[in-house]
Amino acid sequence: MSRQGGRSTDPRKVSQELFTLTYGSLVSQLVKDYESDEEVNKQLDKMGYNIGIRLVEDFLARSGERRCNDFRETADIIAKSGFKMFLGITPTVTNWSAAGDEFSLVFDNNPLTDFVELPEEHSQLNYSNILCGVIRGALETVQMDVNVRFVQDVLKGDNQTEVKVKFIKRLEDAVPAGEE
Amino acid sequence: MTIYNLYIFDRNGVCLYYQEWMREKQPGMSQDEEFKLMYGMIFSIKSFVSRMAPVDFKDGFSSFCTSSYKLHFHETASGLKFVMNTSLNVSSIRDELQHIYSALFVEYVVRNPLCKLSQPINSQLFKTKLDSYIRGLPFFSAKVN
């Protein structure tokens, strides 16, 4: 795979397995700590958000991307540039809404779930929910308020893993005190 | 050629960092007030420039000069604002400001989980690295022109 080749040239890359297993132990600890799957989903999203608001600075500094002009460009950069840089995958952008304010990211392989089988009693758990938080946090930092959620997950027996991203509104620059 | 001082603002207008290397004239107001005034001016110039521009342009506001100094401005997509004052004979320092963002700010602030992102930077490491980078720039000179 291409990420194998990239690893030797970029010293910042770590073993994919180490990453996957670390994430796995994080999730299993959360499952122990919280009673409901819903709560675990919420915690994963929150952690992702905290990662996202920092990760985006790293992304912007390394990629030199500028502000996006429209949401389609945003989707493209997330899929082709962002996911590529941090997870070594390129999800497909599809299922655009008519208004152009919602799209889906479809993953044919999800590195977070490489060694995972979801037990039946955790049918509500969105195992990779951290990704939703990361996307939301990252986009909020570049002034886009979005809603991100899992709609399909192969771990739950769906044919594919699909994350929906919906644009809510543009966040404006903070106005200095005393100005309108 | 001289570098006078540097401000870093976050997207909410909080001054994350300020350092001066050569500033002969002090503003005669509290530092807090000065930061607000600076941010307010940058904010107004940005909206002024984007409204008054007769043609489409990507870069937006990047610098202005007075008779005695030049103010350089660089904004990231995440809304961080870097403002640096230099003497008039310094040409564009876009690359240097971008370097401060990507090699210093991201490296020593964003990647340091103990640095809160919306509060003034206390990291000694960042201060040291930034100071030595600035002092190493070819147009840094401690002499007054």
Side-chain angles (χ1 to χ4, degrees):
Chain A
M1 247 186 285
S2 60
R3 61 173 174 267
Q4 223 88 41
R7 194 182 297 164
S8 57
T9 54
D10 188 345
R12 299 212 235 195
K13 295 245 163 106
V14 296
S15 147
Q16 170 90 58
E17 289 181 8
L18 175 66
F19 173 66
T20 304
L21 294 170
T22 309
Y23 183 70
S25 48
L26 171 76
V27 177
S28 63
Q29 187 62 47
L30 285 175
V31 169
K32 277 187 209 137
D33 289 353
Y34 292 91
E35 303 206 333
S36 72
D37 288 352
E38 277 307 311
E39 195 57 35
V40 175
N41 290 343
K42 214 181 280 172
Q43 289 300 324
L44 285 172
D45 183 83
K46 204 156 127 194
M47 287 180 188
Y49 174 83
N50 288 330
I51 295 173
I53 54 176
R54 284 181 188 254
L55 200 66
V56 70
E57 301 286 2
D58 192 74
F59 173 74
L60 293 170
R62 281 160 73 185
S63 67
E65 294 289 355
R66 314 179 63 95
R67 267 202 191 167
C68 294
N69 294 317
D70 60 35
F71 204 44
R72 284 181 185 269
E73 200 185 334
T74 309
D76 248 26
I77 291 177
I78 291 174
K80 295 195 183 123
S81 200
F83 272 96
K84 181 99 200 122
M85 183 183 290
F86 294 110
L87 291 180
I89 52 171
T90 310
T92 318
V93 178
T94 168
N95 295 348
W96 278 98
S97 66
D101 64 346
E102 186 172 41
F103 65 87
S104 291
L105 292 168
V106 173
F107 300 83
D108 19 296
N109 81 343
N110 177 356
L112 291 180
T113 60
D114 273 354
F115 313 109
V116 179
E117 271 179 56
L118 215 51
E120 264 176 33
E121 67 265 28
H122 291 296
S123 58
Q124 291 307 305
L125 179 69
N126 289 330
Y127 184 85
S128 315
N129 211 40
I130 201 162
L131 293 179
C132 298
V134 171
I135 296 174
R136 185 167 61 86
L139 289 183
E140 188 185 293
T141 309
V142 290
Q143 300 186 310
M144 270 176 267
D145 193 7
V146 292
N147 178 293
V148 190
R149 64 191 197 281
F150 270 89
V151 288
Q152 293 192 75
D153 194 340
V154 283
L155 289 180
K156 294 179 182 171
D158 296 317
N159 295 330
Q160 54 184 13
T161 300
E162 180 181 353
V163 171
K164 267 204 182 303
V165 183
K166 185 172 172 55
F167 179 83
I168 299 169
K169 64 171 193 288
R170 208 166 167 88
L171 301 164
E172 292 305 325
D173 249 354
V175 178
E179 275 190 62
E180 278 309 310
Chain B
M1 294 197 263
T2 315
I3 292 174
Y4 298 125
N5 55 2
L6 169 77
Y7 303 79
I8 303 176
F9 293 98
D10 79 353
R11 66 197 165 105
N12 298 316
V14 178
C15 186
L16 298 179
Y17 191 74
Y18 173 74
Q19 190 176 354
E20 56 190 46
W21 287 270
M22 176 62 63
R23 183 170 181 172
E24 297 157 63
K25 189 177 156 297
Q26 294 299 324
M29 61 173 90
S30 76
Q31 202 170 44
D32 203 38
E33 238 175 303
E34 180 196 326
F35 293 158
K36 277 188 195 149
L37 211 53
M38 178 57 96
Y39 182 78
M41 180 189 70
I42 295 292
F43 186 89
S44 306
I45 293 184
K46 263 182 58 189
S47 81
F48 175 83
V49 165
S50 66
R51 275 166 214 225
M52 292 304 143
V55 288
D56 252 355
F57 64 139
K58 282 194 306 210
D59 286 345
F61 164 54
S62 65
S63 70
F64 72 69
C65 299
T66 72
S67 57
S68 55
Y69 71 96
K70 183 170 179 182
L71 178 144
H72 305 259
F73 174 72
H74 176 64
E75 184 175 19
T76 68
S78 52
L80 286 166
K81 295 166 182 68
F82 295 81
V83 178
M84 185 182 267
N85 287 310
T86 68
S87 55
L88 284 171
N89 46 8
V90 174
S91 59
S92 169
I93 54 165
R94 174 166 297 266
D95 293 346
E96 284 78 4
L97 293 180
Q98 174 67 27
H99 179 89
I100 293 175
Y101 170 58
S102 63
L104 301 171
F105 186 85
V106 169
E107 203 59 34
Y108 300 110
V109 177
V110 176
R111 284 164 168 263
N112 178 354
L114 296 178
C115 281
K116 296 259 166 43
L117 287 185
S118 49
Q119 285 171 17
I121 300 167
N122 285 319
S123 158
Q124 197 55 49
L125 183 62
F126 174 74
K127 286 181 194 177
T128 317
K129 293 281 180 186
L130 178 70
D131 191 60
S132 70
Y133 173 70
I134 299 284
R135 286 178 192 278
L137 287 173
F139 44 86
F140 180 87
S141 152
K143 281 198 299 265
V144 182
N145 289 345

